[in-house]
Each structure stands twice: as C-alpha cells, then as structure tokens.
Amino acid sequence: MVDDLRLRMLDDLLAAERNFRDLAERKVRALTGVLTELAYRLAGEKLEQMRQLDPSAPSSWKPEEWRSFFLSISLTPQGEGWGKANGSGQAAEIAALQAKIATLERELARVRERGYEVPPVERVAQVNPLLVSAGEGRLAGFTLPKIPKAWEHRWQVRAEMSKADAELHLKRRGMVLKCLAEGLSVQVEIGRYVGDATGAQYRSGAIRRVFEALEESGLIVRQTLTLQVTGNLPTRLAVARLSEEGKQFCRALGWPVVESDWERLIRLHEGEKQEGHTLAVLLFASAARLRGWTVEVLPEVHGNARPDMVITKGEQRLYVEVETGTRLHDGNAKWRMNAELNGGRVALVARNVEERGVLVADCRHAAEHGHATDVETLIAGRLVEVGEGDPLWAEEW
C-alpha cells in the first residue's frame, strides 16, 4: 500500500513537471508567434528576405535579434500609404505597437532566461486533473448487444475485477468498437466520448485498459503517429482502427462498418509514408467534430483540386487543406484551387503558429478572405476541453 502511494506520488510529480514544462514551451511559442505575426504585418517583405538568408529565422531569434529587427523598421507613415489620413490617430497606434513590442520582448526574455522550472513537490497536489463533461453526447443510450458465442473467447476480463467493474469495462469496450466502426480513429477523441457517457476521465487507467484489452484480443490495431510541430520534442497522437477480425465482430453485433479516416488516408494519400500529415489531418478532424462540424476526409471533387477534407455545419461548408511540408506551390495554385472550391475563401491548417503566418501571407495573394489554424494551436486548446460553441479557426481575414 505504501509502495503504491509512493508510486502515485511520483507519477503525480512527473505529470506536474511535464505540465509545467509544456506550459513554458507553449508560452515561448505563443510569444514568438505573436512577434512573428506582428513582424509580418509591419515588414513582411523584409522578414522574407531575412528568411532566405537564414531559414531558421525568426523562430531561432533571441530577444536582442527581435529588438534589432524592430528598431530597423521605419514606423513613420509615408506617401499615400498607411496612416496619412489621420496622423494623430496613427501616431497613437504606432506608440501602442511599440509598447506592445517592448512588453513582448521583455516577456520572451524572462521566460527564456527562467527556463523550464520543475514545480516544488508541495505544488503537485494543486494540479487539477482534466475532467470531461457529464453529458452522454455521441454515445447516449448505448446498449451493448449480446455477444455471439463464437466470439466469447475474445470478450474476457481479468479475474480480479468485480462483477460491476467487469460489466462497465465491457460496456466501454463496446463503445470504443462502435466509434471505430463509425469511422473514428483518434484515441483521445474516442476516449472523450466514452468518458462523457460513463463518467471517466479521458486519460484514466480505465479508458487506457479498454484500448489495451481490445488490442490484446486482436480486435483493433493501434499506432502512435508523430509530427515535429516545433522545438525538439515531437507531437504524438495515438490512433486506432478495427482489425479484419474486429470488423467481423462488429458486423456480428449488427453494427455497420465504414472505412475510417485513418484507413482512407492510408489508402488514398500515402498515410503511412506521410505520417506527420496524417496526424495533422486526423487531429483537425477531431477538433472540428468536437465543435459540432461534420467531417469527410479526402472528399471527391470535380477538377484538379484534392482537398484534405470537407467540413460542414448548418449552411457552412468548407474544403480544407492541411500543409505540413514545403510552402512552395507553383503560382499559389493550391490555394487558388482551394479558394475556388470555397467560393473565394481559403481554409488551411498549418504545422505551427509561425508557418501559419507565412501561409496566410501567401494565401492573401490567392483569396481576399480565408480561415486558418495550426496544429500547435489545436494542441494548446486540448480536445477534452473543447465545446461545440468554441471557434475552430485561430484567425480569419
């Protein structure tokens, strides 16, 4: 008992350390993203020239380099351009921008100098677990069908489980399989639906053991996808799909089985080779669904465009492109075709905040209006905290 308590305390300490480290990393990235966006607004051409000389700029810049860049920019309105019509108003705006730059530089320097502090042990207890909502949502009214006798050997539980725990565990197994049969793939999203319906945290051991038991039984296949979003640590996303036996089992229960998002990406978009792109598509699809959008991955469209997905909500319909590789597209053709599909709007998902700024600058040449977000921002939003009324896009123009 003492050993178990000590292990739980160590687990809590490590989890808290990771949370504080992630928080510090996200803060640095967010501040760098704000500075980058501001730099593009004030002197986009100059920043692009500097990126050609140093591809790591400006993400690798230190506070001194940011300060030097902003000091090199003339903020005085000239000619017929920005600010001539209302000099006093624009002077106040310039002063406000300069103050904001100074504040951001100080904050960025402070965070980087402080580094990633490990929280004291006494603070560990203050880290509250993330709780999911109490509503049943997607799995409302779920009832587990009777298991056919031929499949009973795949439906065993550990002997030490009580009858009540075993029944709940098996019900959760059924819920996971039902979600997979309906085409879902992202483990954290499915875990949230199951948790909503049964009162469990999405990362609890109870949910994890459900996926492990299904994998051990041979009914599902799991994999952890990775993508280098920013920094040195890759972003990971656990995904799952039904095995062939799992599909047979679901059909035996009377559930229709559709091709999952993950399977469709593997079949039509080299999903196994382009692992990072697959992660970004699946993550955005989950984020959209949790906000009330209907998602179709790799929809069929007329013409040369090949959008990564189409999302619909009420009368809104948007074809979305996910860009995790090079931004170079011949004459912005990719974005022009996307805008044509969307009636003059671009909808894009970038890898991180900085690259989103670059892509949005490209897309403004192809479309007057658009929507954009990025994997880094979606991760910071945490899928378990998302509600249907939450905005999907980080920026619109």
Side-chain angles (χ1 to χ4, degrees), residues 77-90:
Q78 298 177 0
E80 297 296 327
W82 177 59
K84 187 175 181 180
N86 187 356
S88 61
Q90 295 298 343

Side-chain angles (χ1 to χ4, degrees), residues 291-294 311-318:
R291 289 168 171 82
W293 293 80
T294 299
I311 60 174
T312 56
K313 188 176 186 180
E315 296 182 356
Q316 301 177 74
R317 182 179 181 86
L318 284 171

Side-chain angles (χ1 to χ4, degrees), residues 324-351:
T324 58
T326 174
R327 59 178 274 237
L328 299 177
H329 302 286
D330 187 19
N332 278 337
K334 179 176 183 176
W335 307 121
R336 288 204 314 273
M337 288 189 290
N338 183 252
E340 289 174 3
L341 287 175
N342 290 322
R345 293 179 178 270
V346 167
L348 71 93
V349 180
R351 192 164 60 106

Side-chain angles (χ1 to χ4, degrees), residues 233-310:
L233 296 176
T235 292
R236 294 179 173 84
L237 187 70
V239 294
R241 65 177 186 265
L242 294 172
S243 65
E244 288 305 315
E245 290 182 317
K247 293 176 182 178
Q248 294 174 23
F249 178 71
C250 288
R251 294 187 183 105
L253 295 180
W255 296 337
V257 176
V258 302
E259 183 179 47
S260 71
D261 294 344
W262 184 21
E263 289 172 314
R264 189 166 177 80
L265 285 164
I266 291 174
R267 182 171 65 88
L268 298 176
H269 208 282
E270 296 186 322
E272 291 179 322
K273 292 181 180 179
Q274 301 185 53
E275 184 176 312
H277 182 268
T278 298
L279 181 153
V281 171
L282 294 178
L283 178 67
F284 179 79
S286 293
R289 273 192 297 267
L290 289 168
R291 289 168 171 82
W293 293 80
T294 299
V295 181
E296 181 184 356
V297 171
L298 300 179
E300 296 182 2
V301 298
H302 295 294
N304 296 325
R306 294 293 180 268
D308 290 308
M309 69 190 85
V310 59

Side-chain angles (χ1 to χ4, degrees), residues 8-23 117-128:
R8 284 197 296 270
M9 290 177 65
L10 288 173
D11 287 342
D12 289 342
L13 177 60
L14 290 173
E17 179 183 346
R18 285 193 294 269
N19 286 340
F20 278 91
R21 182 180 293 121
D22 290 344
L23 180 62
E117 299 176 353
V118 178
V121 173
E122 58 269 22
R123 293 174 60 189
V124 173
Q126 299 175 9
V127 180
N128 296 323

Side-chain angles (χ1 to χ4, degrees), residues 139 172 175-176 179 189-200 207:
L139 293 169
R172 287 172 174 158
M175 288 178 167
V176 170
C179 289
E189 179 189 3
I190 297 171
R192 168 161 173 182
Y193 296 140
V194 175
D196 286 348
T198 62
I207 299 296

Side-chain angles (χ1 to χ4, degrees), residues 348-388:
L348 71 93
V349 180
R351 192 164 60 106
N352 54 45
V353 174
E354 181 181 354
E355 291 181 7
R356 186 185 83 215
V358 176
L359 292 174
V360 167
D362 289 344
C363 290
R364 287 179 184 273
H365 297 295
E368 186 176 353
H369 302 286
H371 314 263
T373 189
D374 58 89
V375 174
E376 183 179 7
T377 300
L378 292 172
I379 293 170
R382 295 184 180 274
L383 293 182
V384 291
E385 298 176 345
V386 170
E388 289 199 7

